[in-house]
Amino acid sequence: MHTVWVRLNAVVFFGLTVLLCLSILAALSKFNHTTHHQPIIQKLALNNMKSLKNHGGVDRALLSFDLQADMTPAFHWNIKQLFVYVIATYRTDTNPKNQIVLWDRIIENTDPLEKKQLNEKNVFVKYGLVDQGAELRGKEVELSLHWDHMPLTGTLFVGKQKEGTESAFRLPMEYL
């Protein structure tokens, strides 16, 4: 005859084993989701260049952009939220690849459908385009949309706009 503690121990660890197995199955259910269910990005483009200045020895550009994207295909039952952000990529002589986050937003799975469809017009950047030196003038800049999937259980994974569909523009040669 087993004591109450032995029986309680068996029940608790059986329950934990079942939870572990269900968590593993939930994590496995998201494989190939990113390749089959991509958000639909209609537009991501520069709207207006507000300023390009040298401030404290570094170049800083402030701009606005238009963004139209439907993020609903990226959601499934195991996604808690998406962290969506716009990245500006450019090259300089000092650093061959520079990537700067200009804007971000968190979209929850419980948000209404309207919030999952991004329709932003003339959005002013949250974070300025700041170079480590004074090398921004005349540079070609690409804007691209990226998102982090944050599941209820399982590993985090990142999605991004398809290669070749980024929006590009050139910064002015003189300070504004």
Side-chain angles (χ1 to χ4, degrees):
M1 188 90 172
H2 296 293
T3 66
V4 172
W5 296 113
V6 172
R7 290 179 185 192
L8 182 63
N9 185 35
V11 168
V12 167
F13 279 96
F14 175 74
L16 289 175
T17 304
V18 169
L19 284 175
L20 174 67
C21 291
L22 290 175
S23 294
I24 290 171
L25 288 174
L28 291 175
S29 74
K30 72 174 178 79
F31 284 118
N32 279 338
H33 180 77
T34 55
T35 56
H36 289 68
H37 303 285
Q38 289 285 328
I40 301 161
I41 303 166
Q42 290 96 4
K43 182 178 184 183
L44 174 60
L46 175 72
N47 186 325
N48 187 15
M49 174 63 66
K50 304 278 186 194
S51 71
L52 175 62
K53 296 180 181 177
N54 188 298
H55 180 71
V58 298
D59 281 353
R60 181 185 68 182
L62 298 176
L63 52 104
S64 66
F65 60 89
D66 294 335
L67 172 63
Q68 290 178 329
D70 182 9
M71 302 305 288
T72 52
F75 284 92
H76 63 82
W77 72 271
N78 192 28
I79 296 293
K80 180 180 180 184
Q81 63 187 15
L82 288 180
F83 180 71
V84 182
Y85 49 102
V86 173
I87 289 185
T89 305
Y90 64 96
R91 299 181 186 279
T92 61
D93 294 334
T94 308
N95 297 310
K97 186 174 185 180
N98 299 281
Q99 290 186 318
I100 299 173
V101 174
L102 299 177
W103 174 89
D104 60 22
R105 175 174 292 165
I106 295 174
I107 304 172
E108 302 275 338
N109 193 15
T110 57
D111 285 345
L113 187 61
E114 300 84 43
K115 282 196 160 188
K116 294 177 184 175
Q117 295 175 348
L118 302 173
N119 191 12
E120 306 289 334
K121 300 233 187 274
N122 200 24
V123 178
F124 190 70
V125 293
K126 281 186 176 180
Y127 318 106
L129 177 57
V130 180
D131 188 47
Q132 290 178 337
E135 300 180 64
L136 269 183
R137 289 172 291 164
K139 297 299 180 199
E140 181 83 16
V141 178
E142 285 185 354
L143 296 178
S144 60
L145 188 68
H146 295 244
W147 54 91
D148 292 342
H149 293 86
M150 298 179 188
L152 295 169
T153 183
T155 57
L156 300 175
F157 55 102
V158 177
K160 66 178 184 174
Q161 189 172 349
K162 291 181 183 174
E163 296 289 327
T165 62
E166 299 91 354
S167 168
F169 63 92
R170 185 168 295 281
L171 291 169
M173 291 299 293
E174 299 298 323
Y175 292 120
L176 301 176

mmCIF file of all heavy atoms in Angstrom, residues 53-84:
data_model
loop_
_atom_site.group_PDB
_atom_site.id
_atom_site.type_symbol
_atom_site.label_atom_id
_atom_site.label_comp_id
_atom_site.label_asym_id
_atom_site.label_seq_id
_atom_site.Cartn_x
_atom_site.Cartn_y
_atom_site.Cartn_z
ATOM 1 N N LYS A 53 20.335 66.403 -40.811
ATOM 2 C CA LYS A 53 21.217 67.344 -40.108
ATOM 3 C C LYS A 53 22.409 66.619 -39.515
ATOM 4 O O LYS A 53 22.356 65.423 -39.260
ATOM 5 C CB LYS A 53 20.454 68.030 -38.966
ATOM 6 C CG LYS A 53 19.315 68.890 -39.413
ATOM 7 C CD LYS A 53 18.624 69.522 -38.221
ATOM 8 C CE LYS A 53 17.451 70.360 -38.687
ATOM 9 N NZ LYS A 53 16.715 70.942 -37.589
ATOM 10 N N ASN A 54 23.460 67.410 -39.268
ATOM 11 C CA ASN A 54 24.587 66.909 -38.503
ATOM 12 C C ASN A 54 24.403 67.411 -37.092
ATOM 13 O O ASN A 54 24.335 68.606 -36.847
ATOM 14 C CB ASN A 54 25.906 67.417 -39.098
ATOM 15 C CG ASN A 54 27.086 66.743 -38.445
ATOM 16 O OD1 ASN A 54 27.302 66.862 -37.255
ATOM 17 N ND2 ASN A 54 27.841 66.013 -39.257
ATOM 18 N N HIS A 55 24.287 66.482 -36.153
ATOM 19 C CA HIS A 55 23.994 66.833 -34.763
ATOM 20 C C HIS A 55 24.985 66.100 -33.863
ATOM 21 O O HIS A 55 24.952 64.879 -33.778
ATOM 22 C CB HIS A 55 22.557 66.435 -34.424
ATOM 23 C CG HIS A 55 22.146 66.749 -33.021
ATOM 24 N ND1 HIS A 55 21.932 68.028 -32.583
ATOM 25 C CD2 HIS A 55 21.918 65.938 -31.961
ATOM 26 C CE1 HIS A 55 21.588 67.993 -31.310
ATOM 27 N NE2 HIS A 55 21.572 66.734 -30.916
ATOM 28 N N GLY A 56 25.863 66.835 -33.215
ATOM 29 C CA GLY A 56 26.838 66.227 -32.313
ATOM 30 C C GLY A 56 27.848 65.337 -33.006
ATOM 31 O O GLY A 56 28.294 64.344 -32.447
ATOM 32 N N GLY A 57 28.182 65.637 -34.251
ATOM 33 C CA GLY A 57 29.181 64.858 -34.977
ATOM 34 C C GLY A 57 28.617 63.658 -35.717
ATOM 35 O O GLY A 57 29.368 62.917 -36.346
ATOM 36 N N VAL A 58 27.305 63.442 -35.637
ATOM 37 C CA VAL A 58 26.679 62.332 -36.360
ATOM 38 C C VAL A 58 25.547 62.873 -37.236
ATOM 39 O O VAL A 58 24.929 63.875 -36.908
ATOM 40 C CB VAL A 58 26.136 61.246 -35.397
ATOM 41 C CG1 VAL A 58 27.249 60.629 -34.583
ATOM 42 C CG2 VAL A 58 25.066 61.794 -34.481
ATOM 43 N N ASP A 59 25.320 62.196 -38.337
ATOM 44 C CA ASP A 59 24.214 62.580 -39.212
ATOM 45 C C ASP A 59 22.919 61.968 -38.690
ATOM 46 O O ASP A 59 22.903 60.825 -38.229
ATOM 47 C CB ASP A 59 24.456 62.088 -40.643
ATOM 48 C CG ASP A 59 25.420 62.979 -41.399
ATOM 49 O OD1 ASP A 59 25.799 64.033 -40.867
ATOM 50 O OD2 ASP A 59 25.796 62.608 -42.529
ATOM 51 N N ARG A 60 21.838 62.752 -38.782
ATOM 52 C CA ARG A 60 20.524 62.284 -38.345
ATOM 53 C C ARG A 60 19.489 62.692 -39.379
ATOM 54 O O ARG A 60 19.385 63.860 -39.726
ATOM 55 C CB ARG A 60 20.160 62.872 -36.990
ATOM 56 C CG ARG A 60 18.808 62.382 -36.483
ATOM 57 C CD ARG A 60 18.433 63.070 -35.224
ATOM 58 N NE ARG A 60 18.170 64.467 -35.554
ATOM 59 C CZ ARG A 60 17.853 65.389 -34.672
ATOM 60 N NH1 ARG A 60 17.794 65.094 -33.406
ATOM 61 N NH2 ARG A 60 17.618 66.633 -35.039
ATOM 62 N N ALA A 61 18.713 61.713 -39.848
ATOM 63 C CA ALA A 61 17.643 61.982 -40.808
ATOM 64 C C ALA A 61 16.307 61.677 -40.153
ATOM 65 O O ALA A 61 16.150 60.644 -39.483
ATOM 66 C CB ALA A 61 17.823 61.124 -42.055
ATOM 67 N N LEU A 62 15.359 62.579 -40.304
ATOM 68 C CA LEU A 62 13.996 62.375 -39.826
ATOM 69 C C LEU A 62 13.089 62.345 -41.045
ATOM 70 O O LEU A 62 13.169 63.223 -41.902
ATOM 71 C CB LEU A 62 13.593 63.484 -38.865
ATOM 72 C CG LEU A 62 14.439 63.578 -37.592
ATOM 73 C CD1 LEU A 62 14.012 64.785 -36.761
ATOM 74 C CD2 LEU A 62 14.328 62.318 -36.775
ATOM 75 N N LEU A 63 12.234 61.350 -41.113
ATOM 76 C CA LEU A 63 11.411 61.154 -42.295
ATOM 77 C C LEU A 63 10.067 60.557 -41.916
ATOM 78 O O LEU A 63 9.842 60.175 -40.772
ATOM 79 C CB LEU A 63 12.137 60.255 -43.301
ATOM 80 C CG LEU A 63 12.672 58.924 -42.758
ATOM 81 C CD1 LEU A 63 11.788 57.786 -43.188
ATOM 82 C CD2 LEU A 63 14.082 58.721 -43.276
ATOM 83 N N SER A 64 9.190 60.479 -42.886
ATOM 84 C CA SER A 64 7.911 59.799 -42.696
ATOM 85 C C SER A 64 7.724 58.826 -43.850
ATOM 86 O O SER A 64 8.335 58.975 -44.911
ATOM 87 C CB SER A 64 6.764 60.803 -42.626
ATOM 88 O OG SER A 64 6.603 61.457 -43.846
ATOM 89 N N PHE A 65 6.876 57.823 -43.627
ATOM 90 C CA PHE A 65 6.657 56.797 -44.641
ATOM 91 C C PHE A 65 5.202 56.359 -44.622
ATOM 92 O O PHE A 65 4.455 56.641 -43.687
ATOM 93 C CB PHE A 65 7.590 55.606 -44.428
ATOM 94 C CG PHE A 65 7.422 54.921 -43.107
ATOM 95 C CD1 PHE A 65 6.515 53.877 -42.955
ATOM 96 C CD2 PHE A 65 8.156 55.312 -41.999
ATOM 97 C CE1 PHE A 65 6.339 53.255 -41.736
ATOM 98 C CE2 PHE A 65 7.997 54.689 -40.778
ATOM 99 C CZ PHE A 65 7.085 53.658 -40.645
ATOM 100 N N ASP A 66 4.809 55.676 -45.685
ATOM 101 C CA ASP A 66 3.490 55.064 -45.798
ATOM 102 C C ASP A 66 3.664 53.555 -45.688
ATOM 103 O O ASP A 66 4.610 52.989 -46.248
ATOM 104 C CB ASP A 66 2.833 55.392 -47.141
ATOM 105 C CG ASP A 66 2.513 56.861 -47.294
ATOM 106 O OD1 ASP A 66 2.338 57.539 -46.271
ATOM 107 O OD2 ASP A 66 2.436 57.332 -48.446
ATOM 108 N N LEU A 67 2.733 52.912 -44.974
ATOM 109 C CA LEU A 67 2.790 51.461 -44.791
ATOM 110 C C LEU A 67 1.394 50.889 -44.906
ATOM 111 O O LEU A 67 0.477 51.326 -44.208
ATOM 112 C CB LEU A 67 3.391 51.129 -43.417
ATOM 113 C CG LEU A 67 3.344 49.674 -42.978
ATOM 114 C CD1 LEU A 67 4.169 48.798 -43.907
ATOM 115 C CD2 LEU A 67 3.852 49.540 -41.547
ATOM 116 N N GLN A 68 1.249 49.924 -45.797
ATOM 117 C CA GLN A 68 0.001 49.175 -45.920
ATOM 118 C C GLN A 68 0.367 47.702 -45.945
ATOM 119 O O GLN A 68 1.047 47.235 -46.870
ATOM 120 C CB GLN A 68 -0.746 49.549 -47.197
ATOM 121 C CG GLN A 68 -1.324 50.930 -47.177
ATOM 122 C CD GLN A 68 -2.011 51.268 -48.480
ATOM 123 O OE1 GLN A 68 -1.635 50.793 -49.542
ATOM 124 N NE2 GLN A 68 -3.027 52.104 -48.391
ATOM 125 N N ALA A 69 -0.085 46.964 -44.923
ATOM 126 C CA ALA A 69 0.223 45.543 -44.831
ATOM 127 C C ALA A 69 -0.880 44.833 -44.061
ATOM 128 O O ALA A 69 -1.417 45.369 -43.089
ATOM 129 C CB ALA A 69 1.569 45.326 -44.146
ATOM 130 N N ASP A 70 -1.207 43.627 -44.496
ATOM 131 C CA ASP A 70 -2.175 42.786 -43.811
ATOM 132 C C ASP A 70 -1.395 41.712 -43.058
ATOM 133 O O ASP A 70 -0.815 40.813 -43.672
ATOM 134 C CB ASP A 70 -3.132 42.150 -44.821
ATOM 135 C CG ASP A 70 -4.196 41.304 -44.158
ATOM 136 O OD1 ASP A 70 -4.307 41.336 -42.916
ATOM 137 O OD2 ASP A 70 -4.927 40.603 -44.888
ATOM 138 N N MET A 71 -1.377 41.806 -41.742
ATOM 139 C CA MET A 71 -0.596 40.881 -40.917
ATOM 140 C C MET A 71 -1.399 39.660 -40.468
ATOM 141 O O MET A 71 -0.850 38.780 -39.816
ATOM 142 C CB MET A 71 -0.047 41.621 -39.691
ATOM 143 C CG MET A 71 0.815 42.828 -40.008
ATOM 144 S SD MET A 71 2.207 42.499 -41.099
ATOM 145 C CE MET A 71 3.280 41.576 -40.022
ATOM 146 N N THR A 72 -2.685 39.575 -40.807
ATOM 147 C CA THR A 72 -3.521 38.468 -40.328
ATOM 148 C C THR A 72 -3.030 37.090 -40.763
ATOM 149 O O THR A 72 -3.164 36.143 -39.988
ATOM 150 C CB THR A 72 -4.997 38.651 -40.747
ATOM 151 O OG1 THR A 72 -5.067 38.879 -42.140
ATOM 152 C CG2 THR A 72 -5.629 39.806 -40.009
ATOM 153 N N PRO A 73 -2.440 36.895 -41.964
ATOM 154 C CA PRO A 73 -1.969 35.549 -42.303
ATOM 155 C C PRO A 73 -0.851 35.036 -41.390
ATOM 156 O O PRO A 73 -0.626 33.833 -41.314
ATOM 157 C CB PRO A 73 -1.465 35.690 -43.741
ATOM 158 C CG PRO A 73 -2.160 36.867 -44.285
ATOM 159 C CD PRO A 73 -2.355 37.786 -43.116
ATOM 160 N N ALA A 74 -0.156 35.921 -40.715
ATOM 161 C CA ALA A 74 0.949 35.496 -39.844
ATOM 162 C C ALA A 74 0.459 34.899 -38.531
ATOM 163 O O ALA A 74 1.233 34.286 -37.803
ATOM 164 C CB ALA A 74 1.859 36.676 -39.550
ATOM 165 N N PHE A 75 -0.807 35.069 -38.213
ATOM 166 C CA PHE A 75 -1.346 34.561 -36.947
ATOM 167 C C PHE A 75 -1.893 33.151 -37.114
ATOM 168 O O PHE A 75 -2.467 32.816 -38.148
ATOM 169 C CB PHE A 75 -2.473 35.473 -36.438
ATOM 170 C CG PHE A 75 -1.981 36.751 -35.834
ATOM 171 C CD1 PHE A 75 -1.850 37.892 -36.597
ATOM 172 C CD2 PHE A 75 -1.633 36.805 -34.499
ATOM 173 C CE1 PHE A 75 -1.386 39.066 -36.051
ATOM 174 C CE2 PHE A 75 -1.169 37.978 -33.929
ATOM 175 C CZ PHE A 75 -1.042 39.108 -34.708
ATOM 176 N N HIS A 76 -1.698 32.330 -36.107
ATOM 177 C CA HIS A 76 -2.367 31.045 -35.986
ATOM 178 C C HIS A 76 -2.622 30.814 -34.506
ATOM 179 O O HIS A 76 -2.356 31.675 -33.675
ATOM 180 C CB HIS A 76 -1.592 29.906 -36.661
ATOM 181 C CG HIS A 76 -0.249 29.637 -36.078
ATOM 182 N ND1 HIS A 76 -0.051 28.875 -34.968
ATOM 183 C CD2 HIS A 76 0.983 30.047 -36.468
ATOM 184 C CE1 HIS A 76 1.236 28.803 -34.689
ATOM 185 N NE2 HIS A 76 1.885 29.515 -35.584
ATOM 186 N N TRP A 77 -3.134 29.666 -34.141
ATOM 187 C CA TRP A 77 -3.591 29.448 -32.768
ATOM 188 C C TRP A 77 -2.463 29.539 -31.731
ATOM 189 O O TRP A 77 -2.706 29.824 -30.567
ATOM 190 C CB TRP A 77 -4.299 28.091 -32.654
ATOM 191 C CG TRP A 77 -3.345 26.940 -32.734
ATOM 192 C CD1 TRP A 77 -2.929 26.289 -33.848
ATOM 193 C CD2 TRP A 77 -2.684 26.320 -31.633
ATOM 194 N NE1 TRP A 77 -2.040 25.317 -33.524
ATOM 195 C CE2 TRP A 77 -1.870 25.306 -32.148
ATOM 196 C CE3 TRP A 77 -2.690 26.527 -30.260
ATOM 197 C CZ2 TRP A 77 -1.081 24.495 -31.354
ATOM 198 C CZ3 TRP A 77 -1.895 25.719 -29.471
ATOM 199 C CH2 TRP A 77 -1.114 24.713 -30.018
ATOM 200 N N ASN A 78 -1.217 29.328 -32.136
ATOM 201 C CA ASN A 78 -0.104 29.324 -31.188
ATOM 202 C C ASN A 78 0.635 30.669 -31.130
ATOM 203 O O ASN A 78 1.639 30.790 -30.458
ATOM 204 C CB ASN A 78 0.877 28.190 -31.538
ATOM 205 C CG ASN A 78 1.877 27.941 -30.437
ATOM 206 O OD1 ASN A 78 1.613 28.187 -29.266
ATOM 207 N ND2 ASN A 78 3.041 27.452 -30.800
ATOM 208 N N ILE A 79 0.166 31.679 -31.830
ATOM 209 C CA ILE A 79 0.826 32.990 -31.814
ATOM 210 C C ILE A 79 0.136 33.895 -30.799
ATOM 211 O O ILE A 79 -1.061 34.123 -30.871
ATOM 212 C CB ILE A 79 0.787 33.649 -33.201
ATOM 213 C CG1 ILE A 79 1.580 32.821 -34.212
ATOM 214 C CG2 ILE A 79 1.317 35.070 -33.161
ATOM 215 C CD1 ILE A 79 3.058 32.777 -33.971
ATOM 216 N N LYS A 80 0.919 34.395 -29.859
ATOM 217 C CA LYS A 80 0.393 35.332 -28.867
ATOM 218 C C LYS A 80 0.394 36.755 -29.407
ATOM 219 O O LYS A 80 -0.563 37.493 -29.264
ATOM 220 C CB LYS A 80 1.225 35.254 -27.590
ATOM 221 C CG LYS A 80 0.747 36.193 -26.513
ATOM 222 C CD LYS A 80 1.591 36.093 -25.270
ATOM 223 C CE LYS A 80 1.085 37.052 -24.227
ATOM 224 N NZ LYS A 80 1.916 37.070 -23.050
ATOM 225 N N GLN A 81 1.510 37.144 -30.048
ATOM 226 C CA GLN A 81 1.625 38.492 -30.586
ATOM 227 C C GLN A 81 2.712 38.543 -31.647
ATOM 228 O O GLN A 81 3.566 37.662 -31.716
ATOM 229 C CB GLN A 81 1.917 39.504 -29.492
ATOM 230 C CG GLN A 81 3.237 39.298 -28.780
ATOM 231 C CD GLN A 81 3.408 40.230 -27.598
ATOM 232 O OE1 GLN A 81 2.460 40.843 -27.140
ATOM 233 N NE2 GLN A 81 4.616 40.337 -27.099
ATOM 234 N N LEU A 82 2.645 39.596 -32.450
ATOM 235 C CA LEU A 82 3.684 39.897 -33.428
ATOM 236 C C LEU A 82 4.327 41.218 -33.043
ATOM 237 O O LEU A 82 3.634 42.166 -32.691
ATOM 238 C CB LEU A 82 3.105 40.054 -34.832
ATOM 239 C CG LEU A 82 2.614 38.839 -35.582
ATOM 240 C CD1 LEU A 82 2.085 39.259 -36.939
ATOM 241 C CD2 LEU A 82 3.680 37.807 -35.736
ATOM 242 N N PHE A 83 5.640 41.263 -33.124
ATOM 243 C CA PHE A 83 6.367 42.513 -32.958
ATOM 244 C C PHE A 83 6.784 42.934 -34.361
ATOM 245 O O PHE A 83 7.650 42.319 -34.972
ATOM 246 C CB PHE A 83 7.577 42.312 -32.044
ATOM 247 C CG PHE A 83 8.369 43.559 -31.824
ATOM 248 C CD1 PHE A 83 7.855 44.585 -31.051
ATOM 249 C CD2 PHE A 83 9.624 43.723 -32.392
ATOM 250 C CE1 PHE A 83 8.576 45.747 -30.845
ATOM 251 C CE2 PHE A 83 10.352 44.878 -32.192
ATOM 252 C CZ PHE A 83 9.825 45.885 -31.415
ATOM 253 N N VAL A 84 6.142 43.961 -34.897
ATOM 254 C CA VAL A 84 6.341 44.397 -36.279
ATOM 255 C C VAL A 84 7.222 45.644 -36.268
ATOM 256 O O VAL A 84 7.003 46.551 -35.462
ATOM 257 C CB VAL A 84 4.978 44.718 -36.938
ATOM 258 C CG1 VAL A 84 5.160 45.118 -38.381
ATOM 259 C CG2 VAL A 84 4.038 43.540 -36.823
#
